[in-house]
Amino acid sequence: MNSHDDSRDFRQGIADIWPAAVACVPIGLVFGALAATKGLSTLEATLMSVLVFAGGAQFAALEIWATPAPVLLLAFSTLLINARHILMGASLAPKLGKVSLPRKLLSMYFMTDEAWALAERRAMTQPISFKYWIAVALMLPFAWVGSTAIGAGLGALVGDPRRLGADFAFTAIFIALIAAFWKGRSTAVIIAAAAITSAIVYRTIGTPWHVLAGALAGIAAAALDPRADESELVEEPAT
């Protein structure tokens, strides 16, 4: 691929990810504000977003946050919630083509659900270049870390942002991502299996097990559904 194509891929990546980056801002504000209510300083909350960089795991950590911090429980919870990234990375790595292993490993650190979904969506119709992946992977960290710092700084003034319904932005992003993969009844079966299992486990066992249970249920539903074959997953090229 020539430099012109690389530049075009980078611009396309920016165009694809910027709506998710904008939607990420209120979520980061919510996290920062909630972290402040848990007693974290602005610096501590911001460092958590820089070092952990995993929204779901960070929200779960706040749920079990206490003094002194239950370090082992926090680490285990983070590992369990982010275990899905093993599957996501395994599915995405082969689609990055001739990108060197060091580049893949470094860039995968910035993988998010949003960036992964956009890259997989693009892979349905055309190859994923490294420039495209970098564009979709690197915008969210800036939005997430910056909004966390602002939210933590304003936390004492805003109070609990959930009373304003701002936490629904997290759910809205995932609904939009799922809609981009919609293929009809097979998709509905997979979503229903994951959602129902996750809800049941959340109510009966609790966090963070519902994340892993929902992911495994969705994988099992896809594997067992005879309609979820290759011909159904490949989108017809645009005309």
Side-chain angles (χ1 to χ4, degrees), residues 114-198:
E114 296 85 349
W116 173 82
L118 288 172
E120 289 286 349
R121 176 71 178 174
R122 182 179 177 86
M124 290 179 172
T125 57
Q126 54 190 306
I128 308 171
S129 69
F130 186 67
K131 288 292 181 68
Y132 179 84
W133 170 246
I134 285 296
V136 299
L138 289 186
M139 277 195 70
L140 283 182
F142 289 104
W144 176 247
V145 175
S147 56
T148 294
I150 297 172
L154 297 176
L157 299 176
V158 176
D160 189 347
R162 290 178 295 193
R163 63 186 173 82
L164 304 175
D167 54 322
F168 185 72
F170 206 21
T171 305
I173 281 184
F174 282 95
I175 291 175
L177 292 176
I178 291 173
F181 284 94
W182 184 260
K183 294 294 181 184
R185 187 175 176 182
S186 295
T187 310
V189 170
I190 295 170
I191 294 173
I196 293 172
T197 302
S198 181

Coordinates of all heavy atoms in Angstrom, one line a residue, residues 114-198:
E114 N -14.7 -0.3 21.4 CA -15.1 0.5 20.3 C -14.1 0.4 19.1 O -14.5 0.2 17.9 CB -15.1 2.0 20.7 CG -16.2 2.3 21.7 CD -15.7 2.1 23.2 OE1 -14.6 1.5 23.3 OE2 -16.4 2.5 24.1
A115 N -12.8 0.5 19.4 CA -11.8 0.4 18.3 C -11.8 -1.0 17.7 O -11.7 -1.2 16.5 CB -10.4 0.7 18.9
W116 N -12.0 -2.0 18.5 CA -12.0 -3.4 18.0 C -13.2 -3.6 17.1 O -13.1 -4.2 16.1 CB -12.1 -4.4 19.2 CG -12.3 -5.8 18.8 CD1 -11.4 -6.7 18.3 CD2 -13.5 -6.5 18.8 NE1 -12.0 -7.9 18.0 CE2 -13.3 -7.8 18.3 CE3 -14.9 -6.1 19.1 CZ2 -14.3 -8.7 18.1 CZ3 -15.9 -7.1 18.9 CH2 -15.6 -8.4 18.4
A117 N -14.4 -3.1 17.6 CA -15.6 -3.3 16.8 C -15.5 -2.6 15.4 O -15.9 -3.2 14.4 CB -16.8 -2.7 17.6
L118 N -14.9 -1.4 15.4 CA -14.8 -0.7 14.1 C -13.8 -1.4 13.2 O -14.0 -1.5 12.0 CB -14.3 0.7 14.4 CG -15.3 1.7 15.0 CD1 -14.7 3.0 15.4 CD2 -16.5 1.9 14.1
A119 N -12.7 -1.9 13.8 CA -11.7 -2.7 13.0 C -12.3 -3.9 12.4 O -12.1 -4.3 11.2 CB -10.5 -3.0 13.8
E120 N -13.1 -4.7 13.2 CA -13.7 -5.9 12.8 C -14.7 -5.6 11.7 O -14.9 -6.3 10.7 CB -14.3 -6.6 13.9 CG -13.3 -7.3 14.9 CD -12.7 -8.5 14.3 OE1 -13.1 -9.0 13.3 OE2 -11.7 -9.0 14.9
R121 N -15.4 -4.5 11.9 CA -16.5 -4.1 10.9 C -15.8 -3.8 9.6 O -16.3 -4.2 8.5 CB -17.2 -2.9 11.4 CG -18.2 -2.3 10.5 CD -19.4 -3.1 10.3 NE -20.4 -2.6 9.5 CZ -21.5 -3.2 9.1 NH1 -21.8 -4.4 9.5 NH2 -22.4 -2.6 8.3
R122 N -14.7 -3.1 9.6 CA -13.9 -2.8 8.4 C -13.4 -4.0 7.7 O -13.4 -4.2 6.5 CB -12.8 -1.8 8.7 CG -12.0 -1.4 7.5 CD -10.9 -0.4 7.9 NE -10.1 0.0 6.8 CZ -10.4 1.0 5.9 NH1 -11.5 1.7 6.1 NH2 -9.5 1.4 4.9
A123 N -13.0 -5.0 8.5 CA -12.4 -6.2 8.0 C -13.4 -7.1 7.2 O -13.0 -7.9 6.4 CB -11.8 -7.1 9.1
M124 N -14.7 -6.8 7.4 CA -15.7 -7.5 6.6 C -15.7 -7.2 5.2 O -16.1 -7.9 4.3 CB -17.1 -7.2 7.2 CG -17.4 -7.7 8.6 SD -19.0 -7.2 9.1 CE -19.2 -8.2 10.6
T125 N -15.2 -6.0 4.8 CA -15.2 -5.5 3.4 C -13.8 -5.2 2.9 O -13.7 -5.2 1.6 CB -16.1 -4.3 3.3 OG1 -15.5 -3.2 4.2 CG2 -17.5 -4.6 3.8
Q126 N -12.8 -4.9 3.7 CA -11.5 -4.6 3.2 C -10.4 -4.8 4.3 O -10.8 -4.9 5.4 CB -11.5 -3.1 2.7 CG -11.9 -2.2 3.8 CD -12.1 -0.8 3.2 OE1 -11.2 -0.2 2.6 NE2 -13.3 -0.2 3.4
P127 N -9.2 -4.9 3.9 CA -8.1 -5.1 4.8 C -8.0 -4.0 5.8 O -8.4 -2.8 5.6 CB -6.8 -5.2 4.0 CG -7.3 -5.5 2.6 CD -8.7 -4.8 2.5
I128 N -7.4 -4.3 7.0 CA -7.1 -3.3 8.0 C -5.7 -2.9 7.9 O -4.8 -3.8 8.2 CB -7.4 -3.8 9.4 CG1 -8.8 -4.4 9.5 CG2 -7.3 -2.7 10.5 CD1 -9.1 -5.2 10.8
S129 N -5.4 -1.7 7.6 CA -4.0 -1.3 7.6 C -3.6 -0.8 9.0 O -4.4 -0.5 9.8 CB -3.8 -0.1 6.6 OG -4.5 1.1 7.1
F130 N -2.3 -0.7 9.2 CA -1.8 -0.3 10.5 C -2.2 1.2 10.8 O -2.5 1.5 11.9 CB -0.3 -0.4 10.6 CG 0.3 -0.1 12.0 CD1 0.0 -0.9 13.0 CD2 1.1 1.0 12.2 CE1 0.5 -0.7 14.3 CE2 1.6 1.3 13.4 CZ 1.3 0.4 14.5
K131 N -2.2 2.0 9.8 CA -2.6 3.4 9.9 C -4.0 3.5 10.3 O -4.4 4.3 11.2 CB -2.3 4.2 8.6 CG -0.9 4.4 8.3 CD -0.3 5.4 9.3 CE 1.2 5.7 9.0 NZ 1.4 6.5 7.8
Y132 N -4.9 2.7 9.8 CA -6.3 2.7 10.2 C -6.5 2.3 11.6 O -7.2 2.9 12.4 CB -7.1 1.8 9.3 CG -8.6 1.7 9.6 CD1 -9.5 2.7 9.2 CD2 -9.1 0.8 10.5 CE1 -10.8 2.7 9.5 CE2 -10.4 0.8 10.9 CZ -11.3 1.7 10.4 OH -12.6 1.8 10.8
W133 N -5.8 1.2 12.0 CA -5.9 0.7 13.4 C -5.4 1.8 14.4 O -6.0 2.0 15.4 CB -5.1 -0.6 13.5 CG -5.0 -1.0 15.0 CD1 -3.9 -1.1 15.7 CD2 -6.1 -1.4 15.8 NE1 -4.2 -1.5 17.0 CE2 -5.5 -1.7 17.1 CE3 -7.4 -1.4 15.7 CZ2 -6.3 -2.0 18.2 CZ3 -8.2 -1.8 16.8 CH2 -7.6 -2.1 18.0
I134 N -4.2 2.4 14.1 CA -3.7 3.4 15.0 C -4.7 4.6 15.1 O -4.9 5.1 16.2 CB -2.4 3.9 14.4 CG1 -1.3 2.9 14.7 CG2 -2.0 5.3 15.1 CD1 -1.0 2.6 16.1
A135 N -5.3 5.0 14.0 CA -6.3 6.1 14.1 C -7.4 5.8 15.0 O -7.8 6.6 15.8 CB -6.8 6.4 12.7
V136 N -8.0 4.6 14.9 CA -9.2 4.2 15.7 C -8.8 3.9 17.1 O -9.6 4.0 18.1 CB -10.0 3.1 15.1 CG1 -10.5 3.4 13.7 CG2 -9.2 1.8 15.0
A137 N -7.5 3.5 17.3 CA -7.1 3.1 18.7 C -6.6 4.2 19.5 O -6.7 4.2 20.8 CB -6.0 2.0 18.6
L138 N -6.0 5.3 18.9 CA -5.4 6.3 19.7 C -6.2 7.5 20.1 O -5.8 8.3 21.0 CB -4.1 6.8 19.0 CG -3.0 5.8 18.9 CD1 -1.7 6.5 18.3 CD2 -2.6 5.3 20.3
M139 N -7.4 7.6 19.5 CA -8.2 8.8 19.9 C -8.9 8.6 21.2 O -9.0 9.6 22.0 CB -9.3 9.1 18.8 CG -8.8 9.9 17.6 SD -10.1 10.5 16.6 CE -10.8 11.8 17.7
L140 N -9.4 7.4 21.5 CA -10.1 7.2 22.8 C -9.3 7.4 24.0 O -9.8 8.0 25.0 CB -10.7 5.8 22.8 CG -12.0 5.6 21.9 CD1 -12.5 4.2 22.1 CD2 -13.1 6.6 22.3
P141 N -8.0 7.0 24.1 CA -7.2 7.3 25.3 C -7.2 8.8 25.6 O -7.3 9.1 26.8 CB -5.8 6.8 24.9 CG -6.1 5.7 23.9 CD -7.2 6.2 23.1
F142 N -7.1 9.7 24.7 CA -7.1 11.1 24.9 C -8.4 11.6 25.5 O -8.5 12.3 26.5 CB -6.7 11.9 23.7 CG -5.3 11.7 23.2 CD1 -5.0 10.9 22.1 CD2 -4.3 12.4 23.9 CE1 -3.7 10.8 21.7 CE2 -2.9 12.2 23.5 CZ -2.7 11.4 22.4
A143 N -9.5 11.1 24.9 CA -10.8 11.5 25.4 C -11.1 10.9 26.7 O -11.6 11.6 27.6 CB -11.9 11.0 24.4
W144 N -10.7 9.7 27.0 CA -11.0 9.0 28.3 C -10.2 9.6 29.4 O -10.7 10.0 30.5 CB -10.7 7.5 28.1 CG -10.8 6.7 29.4 CD1 -9.9 6.1 30.1 CD2 -12.1 6.5 30.1 NE1 -10.4 5.5 31.2 CE2 -11.8 5.7 31.2 CE3 -13.4 6.8 29.8 CZ2 -12.7 5.3 32.1 CZ3 -14.4 6.4 30.7 CH2 -14.0 5.6 31.8
V145 N -8.9 9.8 29.2 CA -8.0 10.3 30.3 C -8.4 11.8 30.5 O -8.5 12.2 31.7 CB -6.6 10.2 29.9 CG1 -5.7 10.8 30.9 CG2 -6.2 8.7 29.8
G146 N -8.6 12.6 29.5 CA -8.9 14.0 29.6 C -10.2 14.2 30.4 O -10.3 15.0 31.3
S147 N -11.2 13.5 30.0 CA -12.5 13.6 30.6 C -12.5 13.1 32.0 O -13.2 13.6 32.9 CB -13.6 13.0 29.8 OG -13.3 11.6 29.6
T148 N -11.7 12.1 32.3 CA -11.6 11.6 33.7 C -11.0 12.7 34.6 O -11.5 12.9 35.7 CB -10.7 10.4 33.7 OG1 -11.3 9.3 33.1 CG2 -10.4 10.0 35.2
A149 N -10.0 13.4 34.1 CA -9.4 14.4 34.9 C -10.4 15.5 35.2 O -10.5 16.0 36.3 CB -8.1 15.0 34.2
I150 N -11.1 15.9 34.1 CA -12.1 17.0 34.3 C -13.2 16.6 35.3 O -13.6 17.3 36.2 CB -12.7 17.4 33.0 CG1 -11.6 18.0 32.1 CG2 -13.8 18.4 33.2 CD1 -12.0 18.3 30.7
G151 N -13.7 15.3 35.1 CA -14.8 14.8 36.0 C -14.3 14.7 37.4 O -15.1 15.1 38.3
A152 N -13.1 14.3 37.6 CA -12.6 14.2 39.0 C -12.4 15.6 39.6 O -12.7 15.8 40.8 CB -11.2 13.5 39.0
G153 N -12.0 16.5 38.8 CA -11.9 17.9 39.3 C -13.2 18.6 39.6 O -13.3 19.3 40.6
L154 N -14.2 18.2 38.9 CA -15.5 18.8 39.1 C -16.4 17.9 40.0 O -17.5 18.3 40.4 CB -16.3 19.0 37.8 CG -15.6 20.0 36.8 CD1 -16.4 20.0 35.5 CD2 -15.6 21.4 37.3
G155 N -15.9 16.8 40.4 CA -16.7 15.8 41.1 C -17.4 16.4 42.4 O -18.6 16.1 42.6
A156 N -16.6 17.1 43.1 CA -17.2 17.7 44.3 C -18.3 18.7 44.0 O -19.3 18.8 44.8 CB -16.1 18.4 45.1
L157 N -18.3 19.3 42.9 CA -19.3 20.3 42.5 C -20.6 19.6 41.9 O -21.7 20.0 42.2 CB -18.8 21.3 41.5 CG -17.6 22.1 42.0 CD1 -17.1 23.0 40.8 CD2 -18.0 23.0 43.2
V158 N -20.3 18.5 41.1 CA -21.4 17.9 40.4 C -22.1 16.9 41.3 O -23.3 16.7 41.2 CB -20.8 17.1 39.2 CG1 -21.9 16.3 38.5 CG2 -20.2 18.2 38.2
G159 N -21.4 16.2 42.2 CA -22.0 15.2 43.0 C -22.1 13.9 42.2 O -21.3 13.7 41.3
D160 N -23.0 13.0 42.6 CA -23.2 11.7 41.8 C -23.9 12.0 40.5 O -25.1 12.3 40.4 CB -24.0 10.8 42.7 CG -24.0 9.4 42.1 OD1 -23.6 9.2 40.9 OD2 -24.5 8.4 42.7
P161 N -23.1 11.8 39.4 CA -23.7 12.1 38.0 C -24.7 11.2 37.6 O -25.4 11.4 36.6 CB -22.4 12.1 37.1 CG -21.5 11.2 37.8 CD -21.7 11.4 39.3
R162 N -24.8 10.0 38.3 CA -25.8 9.0 37.9 C -27.3 9.6 38.1 O -28.2 9.1 37.4 CB -25.6 7.7 38.7 CG -24.4 7.0 38.2 CD -24.2 5.7 39.0 NE -23.9 6.0 40.4 CZ -23.4 5.1 41.3 NH1 -23.2 3.9 40.9 NH2 -23.2 5.5 42.6
R163 N -27.4 10.5 39.0 CA -28.8 11.0 39.2 C -29.2 11.9 38.0 O -30.4 12.1 37.8 CB -28.8 11.9 40.4 CG -27.9 13.1 40.4 CD -27.8 13.9 41.7 NE -26.8 14.9 41.7 CZ -27.1 16.1 41.2 NH1 -28.2 16.4 40.7 NH2 -26.1 17.1 41.2
L164 N -28.3 12.3 37.1 CA -28.6 13.0 35.9 C -28.8 12.0 34.7 O -29.1 12.5 33.6 CB -27.5 14.0 35.6 CG -27.2 15.0 36.7 CD1 -26.0 15.9 36.3 CD2 -28.4 15.9 37.0
G165 N -28.6 10.8 34.9 CA -28.7 9.8 33.8 C -27.5 9.8 32.9 O -27.5 9.1 31.9
A166 N -26.4 10.4 33.3 CA -25.2 10.5 32.4 C -24.5 9.1 32.3 O -23.8 8.9 31.3 CB -24.2 11.5 33.0
D167 N -24.7 8.2 33.2 CA -24.1 6.9 33.1 C -24.7 6.1 31.9 O -24.1 5.0 31.5 CB -24.3 6.1 34.4 CG -25.7 6.0 34.9 OD1 -26.4 7.0 34.7 OD2 -26.1 5.0 35.4
F168 N -25.9 6.5 31.4 CA -26.4 5.7 30.3 C -25.6 5.8 29.0 O -25.8 5.0 28.1 CB -27.9 6.2 30.0 CG -28.6 5.4 29.0 CD1 -29.0 4.1 29.2 CD2 -28.8 5.9 27.7 CE1 -29.6 3.3 28.3 CE2 -29.4 5.1 26.7 CZ -29.8 3.8 27.0
A169 N -24.7 6.8 29.0 CA -23.9 7.0 27.8 C -23.1 5.7 27.5 O -22.8 5.3 26.4 CB -23.0 8.2 27.9
F170 N -22.6 5.0 28.6 CA -21.9 3.8 28.5 C -22.7 2.7 27.7 O -22.2 2.1 26.8 CB -21.5 3.3 29.9 CG -20.3 2.5 29.9 CD1 -19.3 2.5 28.9 CD2 -20.0 1.6 31.0 CE1 -18.2 1.7 28.9 CE2 -18.9 0.8 31.0 CZ -17.9 0.9 30.0
T171 N -23.9 2.6 28.1 CA -24.8 1.6 27.5 C -25.1 2.0 26.1 O -25.2 1.2 25.2 CB -26.2 1.5 28.3 OG1 -25.9 1.2 29.7 CG2 -27.1 0.5 27.7
A172 N -25.3 3.3 25.8 CA -25.7 3.8 24.5 C -24.6 3.4 23.5 O -24.9 3.1 22.3 CB -25.9 5.3 24.5
I173 N -23.3 3.6 23.9 CA -22.2 3.3 23.0 C -22.3 1.8 22.6 O -22.1 1.5 21.4 CB -20.9 3.6 23.7 CG1 -20.6 5.1 23.6 CG2 -19.7 2.8 23.0 CD1 -19.3 5.5 24.1
F174 N -22.5 0.9 23.5 CA -22.5 -0.5 23.2 C -23.7 -0.9 22.3 O -23.6 -1.8 21.5 CB -22.4 -1.4 24.4 CG -21.1 -1.4 25.0 CD1 -20.7 -0.6 26.0 CD2 -20.1 -2.3 24.5 CE1 -19.4 -0.6 26.6 CE2 -18.9 -2.4 25.1 CZ -18.5 -1.5 26.1
I175 N -24.8 -0.2 22.5 CA -26.0 -0.5 21.6 C -25.6 -0.1 20.2 O -25.9 -0.8 19.2 CB -27.2 0.3 22.1 CG1 -27.7 -0.3 23.5 CG2 -28.3 0.3 21.1 CD1 -28.8 0.5 24.1
A176 N -25.0 1.1 20.0 CA -24.6 1.5 18.7 C -23.6 0.5 18.1 O -23.6 0.2 16.9 CB -24.0 2.9 18.8
L177 N -22.6 0.0 18.9 CA -21.6 -0.9 18.3 C -22.3 -2.2 17.9 O -22.0 -2.8 16.8 CB -20.6 -1.2 19.4 CG -19.6 -0.1 19.8 CD1 -18.7 -0.5 20.9 CD2 -18.8 0.4 18.5
I178 N -23.2 -2.7 18.7 CA -23.9 -3.9 18.3 C -24.7 -3.7 17.1 O -24.8 -4.6 16.2 CB -24.8 -4.4 19.5 CG1 -24.0 -4.8 20.7 CG2 -25.8 -5.5 19.1 CD1 -24.8 -5.1 21.9
A179 N -25.4 -2.6 16.9 CA -26.2 -2.3 15.8 C -25.4 -2.4 14.5 O -25.9 -2.8 13.4 CB -26.9 -1.0 15.9
A180 N -24.1 -2.0 14.6 CA -23.3 -2.0 13.4 C -23.0 -3.5 12.9 O -22.6 -3.7 11.7 CB -21.9 -1.3 13.7
F181 N -23.2 -4.5 13.8 CA -22.9 -5.8 13.4 C -24.2 -6.6 13.1 O -24.2 -7.8 12.9 CB -22.2 -6.6 14.5 CG -20.7 -6.2 14.6 CD1 -20.3 -5.2 15.5 CD2 -19.8 -6.9 13.8 CE1 -19.0 -4.9 15.6 CE2 -18.5 -6.6 13.9 CZ -18.0 -5.6 14.8
W182 N -25.3 -5.9 13.1 CA -26.6 -6.6 13.0 C -26.7 -7.3 11.6 O -26.5 -6.8 10.6 CB -27.8 -5.6 13.1 CG -29.1 -6.2 13.0 CD1 -30.0 -6.3 12.0 CD2 -29.7 -6.8 14.1 NE1 -31.1 -7.0 12.4 CE2 -31.0 -7.3 13.7 CE3 -29.4 -7.1 15.5 CZ2 -31.9 -8.0 14.5 CZ3 -30.3 -7.7 16.3 CH2 -31.5 -8.2 15.8
K183 N -27.1 -8.6 11.7 CA -27.2 -9.5 10.6 C -28.5 -10.2 10.6 O -28.7 -11.2 9.9 CB -26.0 -10.5 10.5 CG -24.7 -9.9 10.2 CD -24.6 -9.2 8.9 CE -23.2 -8.6 8.6 NZ -23.2 -7.9 7.3
G184 N -29.4 -9.8 11.4 CA -30.7 -10.5 11.4 C -30.9 -11.4 12.6 O -30.4 -11.1 13.7
R185 N -31.6 -12.5 12.4 CA -32.0 -13.4 13.5 C -30.8 -14.0 14.2 O -30.8 -14.1 15.5 CB -32.8 -14.5 12.9 CG -33.4 -15.4 14.0 CD -34.4 -16.4 13.4 NE -34.9 -17.3 14.5 CZ -35.7 -18.3 14.2 NH1 -36.1 -18.5 13.0 NH2 -36.1 -19.1 15.2
S186 N -29.7 -14.3 13.5 CA -28.5 -14.9 14.2 C -28.0 -13.9 15.2 O -27.6 -14.3 16.3 CB -27.5 -15.3 13.1 OG -27.9 -16.3 12.3
T187 N -27.9 -12.7 14.8 CA -27.3 -11.7 15.7 C -28.2 -11.5 16.9 O -27.8 -11.4 18.1 CB -27.2 -10.3 15.0 OG1 -26.5 -10.5 13.8 CG2 -26.5 -9.3 15.9
A188 N -29.6 -11.6 16.7 CA -30.5 -11.4 17.8 C -30.3 -12.6 18.8 O -30.4 -12.3 20.0 CB -31.9 -11.4 17.3
V189 N -30.1 -13.8 18.3 CA -29.9 -14.9 19.2 C -28.7 -14.8 20.0 O -28.7 -15.0 21.2 CB -29.8 -16.2 18.3 CG1 -29.4 -17.4 19.2 CG2 -31.2 -16.5 17.7
I190 N -27.6 -14.3 19.4 CA -26.3 -14.2 20.1 C -26.5 -13.1 21.2 O -26.0 -13.2 22.3 CB -25.2 -13.8 19.1 CG1 -25.0 -15.0 18.2 CG2 -23.9 -13.4 19.9 CD1 -24.1 -14.7 17.0
I191 N -27.1 -11.9 20.8 CA -27.2 -10.8 21.8 C -28.1 -11.3 22.9 O -27.8 -11.0 24.1 CB -27.8 -9.6 21.1 CG1 -26.8 -9.1 20.0 CG2 -28.2 -8.5 22.1 CD1 -27.4 -8.0 19.2
A192 N -29.2 -12.0 22.6 CA -30.2 -12.4 23.7 C -29.5 -13.4 24.6 O -29.6 -13.3 25.8 CB -31.4 -13.0 23.0
A193 N -28.7 -14.3 24.1 CA -28.0 -15.3 24.9 C -27.0 -14.6 25.9 O -27.0 -14.9 27.1 CB -27.3 -16.3 24.1
A194 N -26.3 -13.6 25.3 CA -25.3 -12.9 26.1 C -25.9 -12.0 27.2 O -25.5 -12.0 28.3 CB -24.4 -12.1 25.2
A195 N -27.0 -11.3 26.7 CA -27.6 -10.4 27.7 C -28.4 -11.1 28.8 O -28.3 -10.7 30.0 CB -28.6 -9.5 26.9
I196 N -29.1 -12.1 28.4 CA -29.9 -12.8 29.5 C -28.9 -13.5 30.5 O -29.1 -13.4 31.7 CB -30.8 -13.9 28.8 CG1 -31.9 -13.1 28.0 CG2 -31.5 -14.8 29.9 CD1 -32.8 -14.0 27.1
T197 N -27.9 -14.2 29.9 CA -27.0 -14.8 30.8 C -26.3 -13.8 31.7 O -26.1 -14.1 33.0 CB -25.9 -15.6 30.0 OG1 -26.6 -16.6 29.2 CG2 -24.9 -16.3 30.9
S198 N -25.8 -12.7 31.2 CA -25.2 -11.7 32.0 C -26.1 -11.2 33.0 O -25.6 -11.0 34.2 CB -24.7 -10.6 31.0 OG -24.0 -9.6 31.8

